[in-house]
Amino acid sequence: NAIGKGEVLNGNYGKTLSLLILGEYEAAKTAIERAISLVPNDKYRPQYYYFWKYQSRILARLNKTDEALKAINEAIRLESNDLNLQIEKATVLVQTKQYAAALAVFDKMTRQPSAYLYFNLGSIKVQSGDINGALTDFDRAIKINPNYVDAYLMKSGIKVSLKDFNGAITDLDRAIKINPNYNIAYFMRATIYQNLKNYKNALAD
């Protein structure tokens, strides 16, 4: 009956999430496919758009990127207002090194800017080799959210690659001021101090 079918549908979705967390991607793929097959009809598909989001995520883990893109595009078709779906799509495109296509996805999203958006855009530019563009986007993320510690961390990493060690330390100082328990920032700063032969500060960090 309809109630029983709904219980099985939601049960398979719950099973999918558990298997995804456990890293059992093939089993998770089977479970989400079962959940999707139980969606009553096209009228109800938008209500369950996130099924296709997780299907895409699982397929990407299995390196089935063409199928992953197809799934995320279906999720976007069903729910065009969820910006996280666009980020999921860009992530799949980056996985296949389609950086221009991924950047194009984010370019459309900048009409509704957010710190998270610019952080992801900057991360893609790092991978594509556009270092200056990445720094600009991380600065935009920080302008929107001055407490975005991960943006400071990414900026410091870029500055290290540019041999701007003092600039990198400044960014890490800001990250640590925001989050005094941010152990990765201490480790990165210690590494920089070590390269600068400032062993006292390196040991302290």
Side-chain angles (χ1 to χ4, degrees):
N1 58 39
I3 295 175
K5 187 174 184 179
E7 289 175 348
V8 174
L9 181 152
N10 289 317
N12 275 282
Y13 172 63
K15 183 178 180 181
T16 297
L17 297 182
S18 298
L19 291 167
L20 184 56
I21 292 170
L22 293 170
E24 297 181 19
Y25 303 128
E26 285 290 354
K29 175 176 174 288
T30 299
I32 197 64
E33 287 172 352
R34 176 62 174 156
I36 288 171
S37 73
L38 292 167
V39 175
N41 54 50
D42 288 346
K43 176 183 176 182
Y44 293 93
R45 284 168 79 93
Q47 180 180 343
Y48 296 102
Y49 75 93
Y50 51 90
F51 283 13
W52 283 269
K53 177 181 78 171
Y54 281 102
Q55 183 185 42
S56 175
R57 193 175 294 180
I58 293 162
L59 290 167
R61 297 287 196 283
L62 293 169
N63 292 315
K64 299 178 184 290
T65 48
D66 288 341
E67 294 177 52
L69 281 173
K70 183 179 178 180
I72 200 62
N73 282 332
E74 176 63 7
I76 291 168
R77 185 185 74 81
L78 295 170
E79 180 48 81
S80 59
N81 293 321
D82 187 341
L83 295 181
N84 287 324
L85 297 178
Q86 299 288 347
I87 294 173
E88 293 268 352
K89 180 176 180 177
T91 300
V92 177
L93 290 167
V94 169
Q95 185 175 337
T96 58
K97 301 189 186 302
Q98 297 181 61
Y99 300 121
L103 291 171
V105 171
F106 277 108
D107 186 56
K108 293 178 182 177
M109 295 172 64
T110 53
R111 298 166 193 165
Q112 296 177 274
S114 70
Y116 183 61
L117 167 63
Y118 281 121
F119 178 80
N120 280 276
L121 188 55
S123 298
I124 291 174
K125 288 181 180 178
V126 168
Q127 294 182 64
S128 67
D130 182 7
I131 301 303
N132 290 328
L135 281 172
T136 297
D137 285 323
F138 293 135
D139 282 334
R140 286 170 174 164
I142 290 168
K143 185 176 181 180
I144 295 171
N145 178 7
N147 293 323
Y148 207 144
V149 290
D150 287 339
Y152 286 112
L153 197 72
M154 293 294 285
K155 281 184 64 182
S156 70
I158 291 174
K159 289 178 181 179
V160 167
S161 71
L162 297 173
K163 309 298 183 186
D164 179 11
F165 300 116
N166 289 328
I169 289 172
T170 297
D171 284 323
L172 292 170
D173 287 344
R174 289 170 179 162
I176 290 168
K177 184 176 181 179
I178 295 165
N179 182 2
N181 296 317
Y182 199 24
N183 60 329
I184 297 174
Y186 286 110
F187 178 78
M188 288 183 64
R189 196 171 65 177
T191 302
I192 296 170
Y193 279 134
Q194 183 179 6
N195 288 333
L196 294 174
K197 301 188 186 306
N198 186 339
Y199 300 119
K200 179 180 178 181
N201 284 351
L203 282 169
D205 278 339

